[in-house]
Each structure stands twice: as C-alpha cells, then as structure tokens.
Amino acid sequence: MKGHFYKYQGTGNDFVVIDNRSLEFDKSNSKNIAKLCNRRFGIGADGLILLEKHATLDFKMVYFNADGNESSMCGNGGRCIVAFAKFLGVIGNETTFEAIDGVHKAEIDDDVVKLQMQDVSIIQTFENHQFLDTGSPHHVELVENLIDFDVKANGAKIRYGKPYDEEGSNVNFVKQISSDKFAVRTYERGVEDETLSCGTGVTAVALAMHKSGKTTSNKVILETQGGDLSITFKENNEVYTNIWLIGPATQVFKGEVEW
Ligand SMILES: N[C@@H](CCC[C@H](N)C(=O)O)C(=O)O
C-alpha cells in the first residue's frame, strides 16, 4: 500500500511525519518503520512520528526511533509534530496534545515552536556526569575538546555500559561557552549514532548545568550541530517547572512511499 509522508527537521534532528488520523499506518511493523528511516533504503530520518486523533486533546503524538521501536519522548519531534498539526489545520497557534510522557502545551509563531516539557525533580550527580529524565533518559558529561570528540565511539560505550545496560540512555557531551551558553553533541539511543540535535537532550543539559551551578540563568542557549535551541524554566528547591524548549521546526519535503 502507498501512503503520504512529510519530512520535517528541527535543528537537524529529522523525522518522517505521517498523518495517521485514519489509523491506516501499521504501527506494529517495526521493520517497515526502520526501513522508512533508513538513509539508503528508505526516506531517511532519525525517527518517525505519527499524528493521531485524541479523545479530548488536539492530537496524540506517537514516536518511533530510527531502529523502528516506539520510544520515550522526543523534544525536537514534539516541536515538528506541532508544526505539522498547524500545517494540517488541526490546531491554530496554541495546542495541548498527548505524548508518551504525558500532556504537553505548545505555541507556534512562524517556524518557531515552543514546547512545554514535563517537570523535573530528580537530577542525579556523579563524579564525572549527571543523569536525569526529561521525557527520555539522559547522561550529561562535560568534556574539554568537544569539537574533536568521538561522540559515536564514546557515546556507544556509555549507552551500552553500566548502569544503563540494555535499556540504555542517550548521552550528551557538553562544553561551556559562556555564562548561559553551552555547546552540546548527543549520541542518541535508537539511532545508535550522533544526531545533529536532541530536544530532550538539550533540556537535560540546561537543567543539569543549572543544578551544578555552571549557570545561574533561567534561560540557557544550547548550541547543537544543527543550530541553536533555548530552554527557559523556573526552579524552586531544585525542582524544575515551567520548562520550555524553543527553536525552529521546518517542513522539508513531502512524498508518497510504499509501506
Ligand atoms: N531526538 C529526541 C530524542 C528521541 C528519543 C531518544 N532517541 C530515546 O530513545 O530516548 C529528542 O529530540 O528529544
């Protein structure tokens, strides 16, 4: 069967996006999802996102990693699906939708999408890194030479190592640029490679850097390989609320594909 797809990107984190309000797309066929995401045998993407109907909210987001498995929250994907919902006429400039980690609010202004993330109250601190869940699990580690750092090799070692094991974690390598700006390179679980940007990853980095005192700002700029994102938040007694991930989300092309 042939179906329509759209390709979106948010700071270079790219996604196949499908309107599945008719529920025609077979979500159980993980081989097919992996093939659609394959950069040689398919469309090519870091993940695939379905927009589905929701009983009470504007829509539901269903997210799969490039390996074909449904996964935890994708922040850049969340921003892209909001842009797609606006494109389809499902929403206006504001929305409330459901994703795997709960309900999200979002606002859209031209191609800039502001996505509210879930509150974070637990940030674990270890000798060389921090670990937190911002909808997806994230290991955050400062490194000296980020430009020449081998993100794929070092990320894979951490992702498959203890304590993460099979379930794994996304891994963010970070270098401070100024009092409120950090460069980030992320190894993504489920893509099993470095991606150009990770929304839940930069959210984790901003909160982790605030918690460790590297920044005192409530607005943090994150420089990814695919462009800048910003995170704003409130903090009270080390509980982070009102967290917003802000940046561009763009439709790149559309087409028809066999699935
Ligand atoms: N690219 C994402 C994160 C997607 C989920 C991740 N690969 C996982 O399985 O945890 C983002 O922008 O947040």
Side-chain angles (χ1 to χ4, degrees), residues 13 63 65 71-76 136-137 170 188-189 198-200:
N13 206 188
Y63 173 75
N65 276 324
S71 194
S72 43
M73 182 55 183
C74 178
N76 285 329
S136 281
N170 301 285
E188 265 193 57
R189 145 184 106 155
C198 177
T200 50

Side-chain angles (χ1 to χ4, degrees), residues 16-112:
V16 172
V17 178
I18 293 168
D19 176 1
N20 196 34
R21 285 176 292 176
S22 62
L23 296 179
E24 272 173 8
F25 185 83
D26 181 6
K27 284 182 275 199
S28 64
N29 191 344
S30 54
K31 263 195 182 161
N32 180 49
I33 295 171
K35 189 174 168 198
L36 292 172
C37 292
N38 188 290
R39 296 191 189 277
R40 292 181 189 272
F41 294 99
I43 301 158
D46 295 326
L48 180 143
I49 311 169
L50 303 176
L51 183 145
E52 296 189 348
K53 282 185 184 159
H54 190 280
T56 52
L57 304 176
D58 292 334
F59 63 90
K60 181 179 169 190
M61 165 185 175
V62 185
Y63 173 75
F64 302 85
N65 276 324
D67 65 3
N69 296 315
E70 189 172 354
S71 194
S72 43
M73 182 55 183
C74 178
N76 285 329
R79 295 188 308 98
C80 287
I81 199 81
V82 168
F84 183 53
K86 171 86 194 282
F87 166 78
L88 291 177
V90 169
I91 62 165
N93 290 332
E94 290 181 7
T95 181
T96 308
F97 68 96
E98 185 181 64
I100 193 152
D101 62 338
V103 174
H104 291 261
K105 285 187 177 160
E107 295 166 20
I108 180 162
D109 184 6
D110 283 333
D111 72 336
V112 174

